[in-house]
Amino acid sequence: MKKHSIPVVSLVLLLSILAGCQTDVPATSLSSERPGASSAGEPSSDPGSAYSFDETEFLTLYNRALEQRKTGKKPSSPAPQDPSETGFGVLPLDRETYGTSAYAFLPLQERELNEEEMLQLAWGMEGLSGEELLKPEHARTGLFSYDGAERLFANRAVTRQEEAALLRLTPRYFYEGMRASLPKPGAQEEGLPVTVKLDGKDQFAVLPQEDMTEEGLLRYLEVKFARLRPEDYLPLPEEISYGQLPEYLSSALLRYGIGDGTLPEYCALLLQNSGAQRTPEERRASEENWQVTLLYPEGDEYVVGLRSDTGELYGWARYPNGTFTAGTAAVPSHAGTLREEELLEKAKGYLQELYPGEGEYKMTWQGERRTFFEETGKCVWVEQEDGRSAELVLLPDGTIQSFTFL
């Protein structure tokens, strides 16, 4: 076995770049653990401000504005649609498409609304009750944190179907220049995401109730990755290009016995191993890799890692069919549970197929490791006399779940 200098990182779902709503291509890795569900769009309490928001007081003032609305009292001007300057705005929407006739941006974490703004809000939201108004489907209150360092926020999480579509579209966006059509009148009726600027470089998308169309998903990606320049994500001159991947993938699949040996539909992203996104000047080919999700129509799916400078495989992980493209994935059934010595023989047999005639291997248990869903695999450390090593995770029936060079 050839020793690799890539840092040991477990084989993780690259969908984090999609579901996490980050605007930068993040450093990531491969993992034998089951991909987690997206937390984007799910609000969580995050006070984090000098201004103390009192919900009771807000509702009292808003209800007063609702009563004034009933008597016909109007604000001196309609609510602003652009929240980027003051943090306050009311965006009119098509109710049938977006589930609400307007979406409110309320800077309640930063400041209170004045009497005029309260009246504008009551009219702009068509008299919606205060309890409904404060729900994420009707307003962004400024009291919610949407999972970390995202720069594109949204009123709801993308669905699993949208995640699957984004998985396929993102590489085409990055490496094939695929973009949405030019903006056209009536975009809301077409079910596209409606985006507004918040403050700084942050954007907020109001997504349609139904799953976004391909045009809508491309528009979503354009906003999400607006800050990235091609030099931030395109391969360096010394790296393997997106178009060269089929050649290296086909060779790796046969060499390492992945899937049925054929190259299925796949999605690939060029990712960094460093802990933080590097500038174009700081990027190093030796510290980047291609992570490829292989979407077999039947059987298991895989994530494969290739060195970006040489195209050599440094690891792969197996997942149940549908993990990346369906709402749920069935847990594979196992014919039985093998003893530890039998599992060691399975691992040894795989290595001997890869490296015939290279002598004996020192194989030691590294304990158990949780893989996808609720399954537990046996982790095997493999080492040769010259110090070259690898790690395998085997399921109870002897199926190899992941293989990683160390």
Side-chain angles (χ1 to χ4, degrees):
M1 288 181 289
K2 185 176 295 183
K3 188 175 179 68
H4 289 246
S5 60
I6 290 183
V8 178
V9 285
S10 45
L11 285 178
V12 162
L13 176 63
L14 41 134
L15 228 36
S16 58
I17 186 177
L18 310 179
C21 293
Q22 294 172 321
T23 54
D24 294 325
V25 179
T28 190
S29 60
L30 297 170
S31 174
S32 58
E33 295 196 0
R34 178 181 185 270
S38 165
S39 59
E42 298 176 2
S44 60
S45 178
D46 181 19
S49 172
Y51 176 69
S52 179
F53 167 64
D54 187 324
E55 182 175 322
T56 301
E57 181 181 1
F58 171 84
L59 292 176
T60 299
L61 295 174
Y62 180 68
N63 288 331
R64 181 187 302 169
L66 289 178
E67 290 300 318
Q68 292 174 328
R69 182 180 186 273
K70 289 178 181 179
T71 65
K73 183 177 181 179
K74 293 185 177 181
S76 59
S77 62
Q81 295 184 21
D82 181 5
S84 61
E85 291 188 10
T86 67
F88 171 66
V90 177
L91 180 68
L93 296 167
D94 175 66
R95 181 187 293 276
E96 184 176 348
T97 301
Y98 299 94
T100 180
S101 60
Y103 197 86
F105 297 89
L106 309 176
L108 304 183
Q109 186 174 323
E110 292 79 25
R111 66 178 180 86
E112 62 182 351
L113 298 183
N114 58 41
E115 185 175 350
E116 172 74 1
E117 289 172 326
M118 280 291 187
L119 197 54
Q120 289 175 329
L121 184 62
W123 281 90
M125 297 304 293
E126 297 186 349
L128 190 71
S129 72
E131 289 74 13
E132 286 296 310
L133 172 66
L134 293 179
K135 293 181 178 179
E137 54 263 38
H138 295 296
R140 182 179 190 270
T141 65
L143 291 172
F144 300 127
S145 171
Y146 290 72
D147 191 27
E150 304 124 316
R151 290 291 181 257
L152 172 60
F153 302 94
N155 64 318
R156 66 165 175 83
V158 296
T159 66
R160 276 301 294 246
Q161 289 71 29
E162 288 171 325
E163 283 184 326
L166 288 169
L167 177 70
R168 291 181 164 98
L169 286 175
T170 300
R172 301 189 66 184
Y173 174 90
F174 281 138
Y175 312 117
E176 296 180 2
M178 190 175 185
R179 296 292 186 272
S181 303
L182 293 175
K184 296 176 290 187
Q188 289 190 19
E189 284 70 20
E190 296 173 12
L192 301 180
V194 179
T195 59
V196 298
K197 187 175 182 181
L198 296 177
D199 52 10
K201 297 179 179 178
D202 290 351
Q203 299 271 351
F204 190 95
V206 181
L207 307 182
Q209 294 186 94
E210 303 297 327
D211 285 356
M212 287 180 278
T213 62
E214 181 174 284
E215 180 79 2
L217 292 166
L218 285 171
R219 187 69 53 81
Y220 179 84
L221 290 176
E222 288 178 0
V223 176
K224 176 179 174 180
F225 297 120
R227 292 196 299 127
L228 287 181
R229 302 165 296 172
E231 55 266 34
D232 292 319
Y233 56 82
L234 289 177
L236 299 169
E238 61 270 30
E239 291 180 316
I240 294 167
S241 70
Y242 181 73
Q244 292 176 300
L245 285 177
E247 173 189 351
Y248 290 94
L249 284 170
S250 295
S251 176
L253 299 189
L254 290 173
R255 177 79 173 84
Y256 292 92
I258 298 172
D260 60 8
T262 63
L263 181 59
E265 178 188 8
Y266 65 87
C267 305
L269 290 174
L270 181 64
L271 304 175
Q272 298 184 5
N273 282 325
S274 58
Q277 182 69 17
R278 299 194 176 205
T279 66
E281 296 73 27
E282 296 170 331
R283 289 177 58 188
R284 301 289 183 271
S286 61
E287 297 174 352
E288 299 184 351
N289 60 84
W290 283 103
Q291 284 200 14
V292 186
T293 304
L294 303 173
L295 304 173
Y296 286 97
E298 296 179 1
D300 295 336
E301 296 174 344
Y302 294 79
V303 174
V304 174
L306 301 178
R307 290 178 56 118
S308 64
D309 51 355
T310 65
E312 294 175 280
L313 179 143
Y314 72 84
W316 59 261
R318 180 196 309 258
Y319 295 94
N321 181 266
T323 300
F324 301 100
T325 55
T328 58
V331 179
S333 59
H334 298 297
T337 301
L338 301 181
R339 298 189 305 273
E340 289 189 356
E341 57 268 26
E342 293 175 309
L343 292 175
L344 283 173
E345 283 301 312
K346 288 280 187 180
K348 182 177 180 180
Y350 178 67
L351 293 169
Q352 288 176 336
E353 289 181 9
L354 290 179
Y355 312 104
E358 288 199 13
E360 292 296 320
Y361 303 98
K362 179 183 178 183
M363 308 180 70
T364 56
W365 289 116
Q366 295 297 302
E368 295 185 339
R369 175 173 299 174
R370 183 175 66 84
T371 60
F372 40 69
F373 299 91
E374 299 302 321
E375 295 197 311
T376 300
K378 290 284 188 177
C379 182
V380 182
W381 178 287
V382 185
E383 193 172 7
Q384 287 185 293
E385 292 182 358
D386 61 3
R388 294 176 294 179
S389 58
E391 180 186 88
L392 295 90
V393 175
L394 294 91
L395 300 180
D397 67 345
T399 300
I400 299 175
Q401 202 276 327
S402 68
F403 174 79
T404 310
F405 285 108
L406 304 177

